Amino acid sequence: MTYIAKTFSYIKKSFWVLLLIAVVPAVLLGLFVRPLGFVTFIPDFAVSAINSYADIAWLIFDRHATVYVYPLLLIFVTLTVCMALALSVIEKHFRTGKLMLKAPLRDLNSSLFPMLKTLAFIIAVYMLFKFILSGLVTLLHFLLSGAGHPNTLTVILVSISIIIAFVISIYFSVPIMFWAPLMLTFGYSFVDALIEAARMSSKAVWRLFTALIFPLVTVALLQCVFELLPLPIIAMKAIAAVMYLFLIMYISALMPVATFDLSELERRDEKKPYPAKGNSSGI
């Protein structure tokens, strides 16, 4: 099975628990942040008058969340707590065969700091990545179109550049999915987790890359389609929340699924129960 199939297989049997854990950060993200804004800004870019770097930056960044800061902090805290809880619950399910959400504070005890370190790194790099992309798009726009609305060539070249940057960034992000699970399951330090993650991801880099890019491409394409529709803002927020819910649940499951698989650790959640005595049949 591919990691996409394995991830969906696990989500299917733990759907309601993962949904309960992921719903709060998904709603907050949907309210304040456009899904994959560094890709899905393109429909707005194609019809916007661009006269400065700020015009590009506010298409790529979420203006309200960035200016007021508190939405980003609130999102970071809730996302860290909820993904740490999801990782702990899934890891315990894999080790014991029991899916439980009884003592969340105890579950967070060992997974919070691994997830905090991982997400802090991801968000810092993501923000830097957005700054670099906004500068690149600004440069392309003024070289090819000048001030005002972008011409067709500019939109095409910007789209190609964004897609290439997107694919490359996801490829080099593959090892990151192992950081938190390795720190939680094996007790690695952050540095040791980085080294081991690079080694593990090299075993199945293309399968992992496919599994990671699949939900992101799906969400990016859907968001671009919805951007072109005359939907009310509340509908767009609701749709964004649902897409974030899918991403959080999928990635939360993919991380331990891939880690246990490549580490060749036994998963007790996959063990079939022994048949009851007297139910076996023979010929």
Side-chain angles (χ1 to χ4, degrees):
M1 292 176 69
T2 67
Y3 287 118
I4 296 174
K6 289 181 179 181
T7 301
F8 275 114
S9 176
Y10 182 74
I11 291 173
K12 182 179 178 180
K13 63 184 175 184
S14 58
F15 179 82
W16 294 111
V17 171
L18 292 179
L19 178 68
L20 182 62
I21 295 173
V23 68
V24 173
V27 169
L28 288 173
L29 281 161
L31 286 174
F32 294 112
V33 181
R34 175 165 55 185
L36 296 172
F38 72 97
V39 176
T40 56
F41 79 98
I42 293 174
D44 283 344
F45 169 72
V47 296
S48 298
I50 307 299
N51 297 306
S52 67
Y53 169 79
D55 294 330
I56 296 288
W58 291 132
L59 288 176
I60 295 177
F61 288 86
D62 296 275
R63 186 166 193 154
H64 178 82
T66 305
V67 169
Y68 290 97
V69 181
Y70 80 87
L72 296 180
L73 293 175
L74 186 59
I75 288 167
F76 176 70
V77 171
T78 55
L79 188 61
T80 300
V81 170
C82 292
M83 288 196 70
L85 180 58
L87 178 61
S88 182
V89 168
I90 295 170
E91 198 258 356
K92 185 186 295 183
H93 189 197
F94 285 2
R95 286 190 293 104
T96 67
K98 298 178 180 179
L99 181 62
M100 298 178 292
L101 187 59
K102 289 184 177 180
L105 291 179
R106 188 173 60 193
D107 288 334
L108 282 171
N109 185 48
S110 55
S111 61
L112 182 60
F113 285 103
M115 188 58 69
L116 176 64
K117 294 173 185 177
T118 300
L119 285 182
F121 178 88
I122 291 173
I123 290 173
V125 172
Y126 183 59
M127 297 298 285
L128 177 62
F129 184 63
K130 278 185 160 186
F131 274 113
I132 294 171
L133 279 184
S134 58
L136 174 63
V137 173
T138 302
L139 177 63
L140 285 173
H141 173 75
F142 282 100
L143 284 176
L144 299 172
S145 298
H149 289 79
N151 57 37
T152 303
L153 177 62
T154 303
V155 174
I156 292 173
L157 290 181
V158 164
S159 300
I160 293 172
S161 300
I162 294 297
I163 291 169
I164 292 172
F166 173 61
V167 172
I168 291 173
S169 66
I170 299 305
Y171 179 82
F172 285 105
S173 297
V174 166
I176 297 175
M177 76 171 76
F178 296 113
W179 292 358
L182 286 172
M183 286 186 275
L184 172 63
T185 304
F186 297 100
Y188 286 157
S189 68
F190 184 68
V191 174
D192 289 339
L194 264 64
I195 297 170
E196 180 62 16
R199 187 191 68 81
M200 285 179 60
S201 60
S202 66
K203 294 180 181 179
V205 63
W206 288 110
R207 284 190 293 150
L208 293 167
F209 169 74
T210 302
L212 186 57
I213 202 170
F214 162 73
L216 300 174
V217 168
T218 301
V219 167
L221 290 175
L222 288 174
Q223 180 65 20
C224 285
V225 170
F226 290 129
E227 291 283 346
L228 298 173
L229 301 177
L231 297 174
I233 187 67
I234 190 170
M236 290 297 294
K237 299 288 186 184
I239 291 168
V242 171
M243 289 194 286
Y244 275 121
L245 188 64
F246 164 65
L247 285 177
I248 294 170
M249 292 173 64
Y250 181 94
I251 293 172
S252 294
L254 173 63
M255 291 191 299
V257 164
T259 301
F260 269 65
D261 184 75
L262 290 174
S263 298
E264 299 181 352
L265 294 175
E266 180 186 28
R267 279 181 53 181
R268 292 185 177 272
D269 67 298
E270 291 184 327
K271 276 195 167 184
K272 295 180 179 179
Y274 291 108
K277 291 182 178 180
N279 288 345
S280 58
S281 59
I283 298 178

